[in-house]
Amino acid sequence: MPRQAPQGTQAVQRALALLRSFTPEAPEHRLSELAAAHGLHPSTAHRLLGVLEAEGLIGRSPESQAYRWLPGAPGTGVAGSSPRHNGLRPLEPLRTPFHRRTSALCESDAWRDWSGYTCAETYEPTPEREYWAVRNAAALIDVSPLFKYEIAGADAERLLDRVMTRDFSKCRTGRVMYTSWCTEDGHLLQDGNVQRLERERFLVSAAEPCLRWFEDCGWGMDVDVRDVSEEIGVLALQGPRARAIAEAATTGIDFGAMRYFDLAAGEIGAGGGGGPVTVTRTGYTGDLGYEFWVAAEHAEALWDALVEAGRDHGLLPAGLLALDMARAEAGLVLIDVDYVSAADAEIEVLKVTPAEAGLGFTVKLDKQADFVGRRALELERDRGPAWAMVGLEVDWFELERLWSEIDLRPQVVGQPACREPTPVFAPGGWQVGQCTTRFFSPLLKKYIGLATVRGEAADLGTELDVEVAVGYGRRRARARVVERPFFNPPRKTAVDPMAGVNG
Amino acid sequence: MTMEPAAADGIGSGTPSRGGGRFDAIVVGAGHNGLVAAAYLARAGLDVVVLESSPEIGGATRSEEAFPGFRFSVFSYLVSLLRPEVIHELDLVRHGLFLVPTASTLNPLPGGDCLFREADPQRTYRHIVRHSRRDAEALFEYKLEMRRMGHLMYRLQRAAPDELAAAIGDRVAESPEHLDVDVSAEVADIARYFLDLPAARLRTFAQMLTMSSADFLGQWFESDVLKAALSSSSIIGSMLSPRTPGSAYVLLHHYMGEVDGVYREWGFQKGGTGAVAATIARAARSHGAEIRTDSPVARVLARDGRTAGVVLANGDELRAGVVLSSAAPQISLGRLLDPEDVPGDAGAGLVERAARWQSGGCAGKVNLAISGLPRFECMPEPGPHLSGGITIAPGLDYVDRAYDEAKYGGFSERPFIDMIIPSVLDPDMAPPGKHVLSCFVQYAPYELAAGDWDDGKREAFGDSVVRTLAEYAPGIEDQILHRQVLVPPDIEAIAGIPGGNIFHGELRLSQLFLLRPDPAAAAFRTPLPGYYLCGSSTQFGGGISGGPARLAALRVLDDLRGVESAAGGGGETP
Ligand SMILES: Cc1cc2nc3c(=O)[nH]c(=O)nc-3n(C[C@H](O)[C@H](O)[C@H](O)COP(=O)(O)OP(=O)(O)OC[C@H]3O[C@@H](n4cnc5c(N)ncnc54)[C@H](O)[C@@H]3O)c2cc1C
């Protein structure tokens, strides 16, 4: 136990010892009990505990006034499995089960809130290396803040088929389906992935809460919807080296046999033994990649195994800025950025159908089951969607032209994807839509954007004007409607993806 | 000058030529410039063949799997000078261009110290403060001025030099035909640009043409360490010390490099620079160009005072009214061209002047395959610094001494080394966990005063490099699995550059602008109508730029069409 401490550090040592008494197993202590256990005068203990409380490291039970363990606070208990609400004030930011690992690496200290969790925007001061790791080696991204719902029971498939626009009678066990779900009038609520873990057990991942919607839609069915968001950590491993790393970090999964949107269960660690993990061949970067779904208590073991396996493959942890650049290149739409969920749309005009958000391919009007929004979407099929999600591209010479007006080379590179919506015009004319994601892709060397435009302006090759900030001014740049995704390497879906290892 | 071509049979005449040995245009050399020229000409509809003497394309940009699993970018290693016009007009991204940025530069110093310049300017400031607070602040001002200089060079290089001469009233071009070119809007624009330049900017420009880089940098900085670090770009490829007058121009040459509009950025091409040549070759082929290796050209054929084709070393004749050579002037003007063929007396002295062209090499390349990442004493653990440039140039005296040794005919015992670790930037360059180290080394003269490169000196040079590295990254000598040492005669032999100078000729005022490579052959034209130059020894100078080849090709197309300059237009299709 504690060595004799030099003067002045003794208080620190005592405070830390007190802090360590708070664990999930022994969350609550009274002052007298702590003072006795630590051999402190009650007034000293009171003073030290007061500091810990003021620093947000421990809490205080409102009823009993006892001191309480604060989930997720550094120095106490385990970092994992933090509930979304700790019932105490002030509300602590939530930590993902990987937080101890990510925070140790986050040199930039650039954290961003994502559904209440603190997530790294970048690990290094600038996102470049993390972005290139996605395209050239591999990147590890903590995407745990996704909401996750387990849907289980005899009617699980029936519920999904009722809620979702995709046909879940066609989703075999061991497959993942990307789908949309809509309101009764066919307006898009969310998009997300659904894993079929067992015949009667699915896992839905979504950007926003949807427990109530699923429960309400399943009224009277033999199905149980459970929010497992906090129980499961999720890591995305993305990039051309993903397979080689995933193989080395896990046991029991045949990655060569895993097709795009397959799912497999295995164990963490080269020889196993690190705990169970579910792997899906999915991701949000448009590259070869996998997502790892793990119980919070095994999260750190998973992280460590992947980092270790990635050491020789150029693996870097990547933050949300790099992820956003990659997903823009992949032409993937983002809720709240590229479209507004019908659940959040204050006015009618903000609502879109899946087709209008570029997700028409997720709507299966030929499926057997009736589903929420079906009739509205059938009508839309007949009259055609009013809006379309398009990819826009501004070529280099247009950028040179704009910047030459102020005698500069184009100042476009090195900026993360911009999410401020700006108007899109018919050439020299009126507004026909808005551009919601845009950035200069250092890989493609083009300025690309995702835009929602009126249906008649959506044909490939259509010329449109977008707004670009040039110096202090706003200029119109000529853009062209191009194919989405902007970047789509064969390795993303290759049947036996590159092992990616030389020699 | 009006070109009355057999070219009247003109652009994309579609003359049935394949196999028949008749083309619209022949390009000598499949280095990246020759390939760029071919791509532009083929894209305009010409029937083009590229003839390369060696078995491989790429010239000085070649890459190879020198040892199983290890890829070496044999000579050149980073890309920055590659013109955005070339990238976008030839759609190189689609054909495979993939540039990973090298965002930082580490200068290890003796005793475990270092100077580190990062992508983030504020962090760079904090690193430099340790050496000089004043310099840390001055760096912002210096970089701004150099960006302006880079932009000035960008404006300058967009137009062909004769037009520029006309525009800025330079009378160096005595031959009247150089002056009767219509001054295009672009050129007028540049003229205006120069006329409007503040005096301070013109002064900096004049300084850069004449000063030593040490003196030039001395105007901003006091720290020897920082001056040495910044002067690196002023000696690359040049038999100059940072203290030699004229070295500031080499600095300027490197500052006109850009990646996506950001001056002074560098990128590593995935797969090595050989993949740049392969990318351009794909673009050229996509437009129908043919590329033949193992086809050394012996001379240019002329008939009635005009270009008529080439003769290969094996005696085969290929016909074309247009021939472009990307080889160095000793070859293009000295060997391939018979001055007797040149109309009038324009060919007088050409061969003699070509022979006096200064293109002695000064640099070697040491490529290492290593068993793990090097541990630099200053930053032993892996980190972002390993994906940037790493330069051994701990002080001006150090570099000057390294130069002195070569000046007297030896190689540097403690050389200047500019290195990158390609396998950190692109994991495909080496097996997992193993790495390749690319060391560009100065100085190594073409000819040694004592002894012979082939007589053990090459390996002794390699040893001096490893010994020097080990001073900063102890233990590296035990990590080496394979080593490739190349000195100027090797560059000459493999890449076909006489003397082995990396730029096809020193970048000094006597060999620049209208004097590059010869007053009678500036502006990409030679005195033999229909015969053009398109390589690193022309206006643009060396480096992986494609710049000279693009301008040369546009000049050819222009001459074929008999219309005014196409050299300026960024976006327009020739
Ligand atoms: C060691 C080294 C390092 C360098 N590092 C860099 C760097 O990092 N970044 C950078 O931008 N630049 C670098 N350079 C410079 C750059 O590589 C060259 O300037 C550029 O590649 C030259 O291209 P080119 O097409 O003009 O000529 P070359 O690449 O020299 O091509 C000319 C071709 O012509 C062929 N040829 C010659 N004579 C004949 C003939 N009679 N018949 C047929 N074919 C013929 C040759 O075989 C050769 O393939 C480096 C150069 C060297 C040598």
Side-chain angles (χ1 to χ4, degrees):
Chain A
M1 269 315 293
R3 286 181 288 118
Q4 188 55 46
Q7 269 290 312
T9 58
Q10 195 189 34
V12 179
Q13 257 187 358
R14 284 176 169 171
L16 288 172
L18 282 171
L19 185 56
R20 280 194 211 97
S21 323
F22 295 89
T23 63
E25 293 75 33
E28 240 182 69
H29 302 284
R30 309 199 142 272
L31 175 62
S32 52
E33 168 207 334
L34 283 171
H38 291 268
L40 299 171
H41 191 277
S43 72
T44 308
H46 182 258
R47 206 163 25 82
L48 292 171
L49 288 163
V51 174
L52 294 175
E53 187 192 2
E55 291 297 322
L57 295 168
I58 56 174
R60 199 104 186 239
S61 158
E63 305 88 29
S64 65
Q65 285 298 305
Y67 295 94
R68 261 193 135 242
W69 173 65
L70 267 193
T76 65
V78 290
S81 92
S82 343
R84 254 160 225 273
H85 297 281
N86 53 39
L88 294 162
R89 250 163 258 280
L91 204 56
E92 293 295 315
L94 296 169
R95 313 294 197 187
T96 82
F98 303 104
H99 188 76
R100 278 215 299 227
R101 295 295 185 266
T102 56
S103 57
L105 292 167
C106 187
E107 196 196 327
S108 67
D109 254 344
W111 298 95
R112 181 204 284 180
D113 175 274
W114 175 8
S115 297
Y117 287 85
T118 37
C119 284
E121 247 183 357
T122 60
Y123 288 85
E124 292 178 8
T126 54
E128 275 80 27
R129 276 182 9 115
E130 298 164 28
Y131 160 80
W132 284 100
V134 175
R135 296 296 181 222
N136 193 29
L140 197 56
I141 310 157
D142 181 2
V143 293
S144 305
L146 287 169
F147 288 84
K148 287 144 257 156
Y149 301 98
E150 190 182 86
I151 298 187
D155 287 336
E157 180 188 305
R158 213 179 120 215
L159 170 59
L160 286 163
D161 244 352
R162 163 134 190 76
V163 176
M164 304 298 188
T165 57
R166 283 293 274 274
D167 185 351
F168 278 85
S169 69
K170 298 220 170 99
C171 183
R172 281 173 289 106
T173 300
R175 288 289 292 168
V176 185
M177 252 188 192
Y178 175 64
T179 182
S180 308
W181 54 101
C182 294
T183 58
E184 195 59 53
D185 53 5
H187 286 131
L188 182 59
L189 279 167
Q190 287 203 56
D191 61 298
N193 277 339
V194 181
Q195 305 172 20
R196 187 160 203 167
L197 298 163
E198 290 163 23
R199 237 201 96 59
E200 296 187 354
R201 196 160 68 90
F202 296 81
L203 188 79
V204 179
S205 49
E208 296 189 351
C210 42
L211 175 90
R212 182 164 154 263
W213 181 252
F214 293 157
E215 280 184 349
D216 289 356
C217 291
W219 192 83
M221 293 189 199
D222 178 9
V223 64
D224 186 35
V225 182
R226 201 161 69 86
D227 183 346
V228 292
S229 302
E230 290 118 38
E231 294 166 25
I232 299 176
V234 193
L235 279 183
L237 172 70
Q238 304 279 301
R241 291 300 177 105
R243 178 184 165 188
I245 297 168
E247 246 160 15
T250 56
T251 314
I253 298 176
D254 180 359
F255 283 92
M258 248 181 117
R259 288 165 310 144
Y260 196 40
F261 276 80
D262 266 356
L263 172 161
E267 273 204 66
I268 299 164
V277 62
T278 302
V279 182
T280 54
R281 188 166 162 197
T282 50
Y284 200 49
T285 63
D287 218 299
L288 172 62
Y290 304 89
E291 287 173 310
F292 294 75
W293 309 73
V294 68
E297 66 261 35
H298 299 303
E300 290 182 351
L302 173 66
W303 178 278
D304 295 341
L306 288 168
V307 166
E308 177 57 30
R311 201 175 305 284
D312 291 344
H313 293 282
L315 177 73
L316 289 182
L320 299 180
L321 291 185
L323 178 64
D324 205 30
M325 290 158 85
R327 73 96 193 163
E329 285 172 347
L332 299 169
V333 297
L334 179 56
I335 188 169
D336 270 351
V337 172
D338 299 305
Y339 74 87
V340 178
S341 166
D344 299 330
E346 251 182 280
I347 50 170
E348 220 39 39
V349 68
L350 291 177
K351 297 178 180 173
V352 289
T353 63
E356 289 171 336
L359 304 177
F361 67 94
T362 63
V363 179
K364 301 294 175 193
L365 292 174
D366 57 355
K367 81 181 200 185
Q368 286 274 305
D370 200 5
F371 62 93
V372 184
R374 174 167 206 142
R375 253 154 304 282
L377 293 173
E378 275 166 359
L379 284 177
E380 183 196 46
R381 175 193 54 195
D382 300 338
R383 76 177 136 66
W387 296 92
M389 176 69 61
V390 296
L392 292 179
E393 181 182 292
V394 179
D395 80 15
W396 178 258
F397 298 112
E398 182 66 0
L399 299 173
E400 281 198 341
R401 184 183 70 75
L402 292 175
W403 265 273
S404 72
E405 288 173 15
I406 55 170
D407 198 30
L408 282 179
R409 305 290 291 140
Q411 308 285 300
V412 285
V413 83
Q415 290 157 16
C418 174
R419 297 169 159 199
E420 175 208 359
T422 50
V424 175
F425 305 96
W430 296 103
Q431 184 173 356
V432 294
Q434 61 277 347
C435 182
T436 46
T437 291
R438 58 189 192 284
F439 91 118
F440 180 81
S441 158
L443 176 77
L444 304 169
K445 304 206 173 298
K446 285 186 174 132
Y447 196 77
I448 55 175
L450 290 171
T452 306
V453 298
R454 304 222 62 96
E456 63 272 17
D459 290 341
L460 282 184
T462 306
E463 296 206 329
L464 295 170
D465 283 350
V466 293
E467 259 192 12
V468 179
V470 178
Y472 285 128
R474 291 270 179 164
R475 293 280 181 286
R476 286 190 184 189
R478 186 58 46 88
R480 252 176 343 108
V481 175
V482 296
E483 209 98 53
R484 269 184 320 129
F486 303 95
F487 177 70
N488 192 18
R491 61 178 178 257
K492 178 181 83 175
T493 53
V495 175
D496 184 5
M498 54 198 288
V501 184
N502 259 339
Chain B
M1 147 173 14
T2 37
M3 294 243 129
E4 274 301 278
D9 66 0
I11 296 185
S13 61
T15 329
S17 57
R18 246 14 59 108
R22 206 188 142 70
F23 296 85
D24 294 329
I26 293 169
V27 179
V28 182
H32 84 285
N33 271 319
L35 295 167
V36 165
Y40 273 95
L41 296 175
R43 179 169 169 268
L46 266 60
D47 202 356
V48 185
V49 66
V50 185
L51 303 171
E52 167 57 48
S53 54
S54 69
E56 307 260 343
I57 65 162
T61 63
R62 78 190 57 209
S63 302
E64 65 186 26
E65 184 168 340
F67 305 99
F70 293 91
R71 283 194 71 75
F72 286 163
S73 209
V74 181
F75 298 120
S76 51
Y77 47 108
L78 286 176
V79 179
S80 166
L81 293 155
L82 188 58
R83 299 303 316 149
E85 301 90 275
V86 173
I87 294 175
H88 294 281
E89 283 164 356
L90 298 181
D91 213 356
L92 293 186
V93 174
R94 188 164 63 85
H95 291 290
L97 191 76
F98 189 110
L99 296 179
V100 186
T102 55
S104 64
T105 312
L106 174 71
N107 284 71
L109 300 171
D113 195 2
C114 70
L115 177 72
F116 191 33
R117 287 171 288 151
E118 299 191 48
D120 177 10
Q122 298 305 331
R123 288 169 67 101
T124 298
Y125 172 86
R126 282 166 50 207
H127 288 297
I128 298 178
V129 156
R130 296 195 304 110
H131 300 278
S132 158
R133 201 165 282 275
R134 285 182 58 82
D135 285 7
E137 196 176 317
L139 190 65
F140 292 102
E141 184 186 308
Y142 170 78
K143 282 185 166 169
L144 183 62
E145 184 68 0
M146 291 307 283
R147 279 207 301 278
R148 294 188 185 118
M149 286 296 113
H151 197 55
L152 187 149
M153 285 299 280
Y154 158 78
R155 300 296 296 255
L156 259 176
Q157 302 281 23
R158 277 170 72 95
D162 54 346
E163 294 159 339
L164 206 59
I168 60 178
D170 190 330
R171 302 291 158 199
V172 185
E174 316 102 323
S175 19
E177 65 266 34
H178 283 307
L179 291 175
D180 68 22
V181 180
D182 274 3
V183 177
S184 66
E186 174 69 26
V187 172
D189 203 36
I190 293 174
R192 224 173 298 118
Y193 181 74
F194 264 81
L195 289 173
D196 289 348
L197 276 183
R201 200 97 333 110
L202 281 173
R203 188 184 60 216
T204 310
F205 186 53
Q207 288 177 340
M208 301 214 77
L209 292 179
T210 53
M211 283 176 94
S212 77
S213 66
D215 286 346
F216 181 75
L217 292 164
Q219 302 178 111
W220 278 277
F221 306 110
E222 59 186 13
S223 147
D224 181 58
V225 165
L226 182 62
K227 279 190 278 190
L230 292 172
S231 74
S232 296
S233 306
S234 74
I235 55 167
I236 293 274
S238 308
M239 190 53 105
L240 301 171
S241 147
R243 295 202 171 110
T244 317
S247 51
Y249 179 78
V250 183
L251 193 64
L252 179 57
H253 182 79
H254 285 104
Y255 271 87
M256 78 178 161
E258 64 172 280
V259 174
D260 304 331
V262 183
Y263 289 116
R264 199 62 198 145
E265 287 267 285
W266 289 88
F268 180 79
Q269 164 67 37
K270 190 166 176 63
T273 54
V276 176
T279 294
I280 302 168
R282 272 194 290 279
R285 287 201 188 95
S286 77
H287 291 294
E290 187 189 336
I291 300 164
R292 295 189 195 169
T293 50
D294 289 311
S295 306
V297 173
R299 63 189 179 84
V300 172
L301 266 181
R303 184 163 312 145
D304 307 328
R306 305 199 26 89
T307 302
V310 299
V311 184
L312 296 184
N314 66 8
D316 283 358
E317 280 187 20
L318 292 156
R319 301 273 163 174
V322 170
V323 173
L324 299 89
S325 173
S326 62
Q330 293 98 321
I331 299 171
S332 303
L333 300 176
R335 254 189 268 154
L336 302 186
L337 183 68
D338 183 347
E340 296 294 309
D341 289 336
V342 174
D345 59 0
L350 203 55
V351 174
E352 292 75 5
R353 290 200 299 274
R356 287 198 294 273
W357 180 251
Q358 289 188 297
S359 69
C362 61
K365 189 76 191 293
V366 175
N367 298 312
L368 301 173
I370 48 180
S371 58
L373 283 169
R375 294 174 59 85
F376 287 92
E377 209 182 343
C378 55
M379 290 194 206
E381 295 310 318
H385 61 291
L386 298 182
S387 57
I390 302 168
T391 309
I392 308 293
L396 285 170
D397 283 350
Y398 177 99
V399 184
D400 206 16
R401 275 196 202 101
Y403 166 73
D404 272 352
E405 287 171 308
K407 187 171 76 185
Y408 298 118
F411 60 77
S412 312
E413 289 291 344
R414 299 178 78 215
F416 162 88
I417 305 174
D418 190 38
M419 75 188 121
I420 57 167
I421 311 175
S423 47
V424 169
L425 292 151
D426 171 8
D428 293 346
M429 297 295 285
K434 311 247 185 338
H435 289 277
V436 284
L437 195 60
S438 156
C439 306
F440 178 87
V441 190
Q442 286 187 195
Y443 297 80
Y446 179 73
E447 224 168 333
L448 291 170
D452 201 306
W453 282 119
D454 285 333
D455 203 20
K457 293 285 190 193
R458 186 185 282 96
E459 292 313 315
F461 174 64
D463 292 342
S464 82
V465 171
V466 173
R467 222 181 305 118
T468 304
L469 287 180
E471 286 179 30
Y472 301 92
I476 192 149
E477 62 279 21
D478 303 322
Q479 291 178 303
I480 297 172
L481 305 171
H482 304 284
R483 145 175 140 176
Q484 180 186 52
V485 183
L486 299 156
V487 291
D490 303 316
I491 300 175
E492 179 180 80
I494 301 168
I497 305 171
N501 180 283
I502 77 163
F503 299 127
H504 283 201
E506 291 271 353
L507 298 176
R508 51 180 72 168
L509 207 44
S510 58
Q511 304 199 143
L512 285 173
F513 302 112
L514 290 169
L515 303 173
R516 192 167 183 90
D518 190 279
F524 311 106
R525 292 182 181 122
T526 72
L528 177 69
Y531 182 41
Y532 297 81
L533 303 181
C534 67
S536 297
S537 63
T538 60
Q539 148 81 2
F540 230 96
I544 306 167
S545 77
R550 172 178 179 270
L551 287 178
L554 296 186
R555 160 56 31 89
V556 167
L557 294 170
D558 219 25
D559 287 346
L560 289 175
R561 290 194 187 107
V563 293
E564 59 157 78
S565 166
E572 63 207 33
T573 316

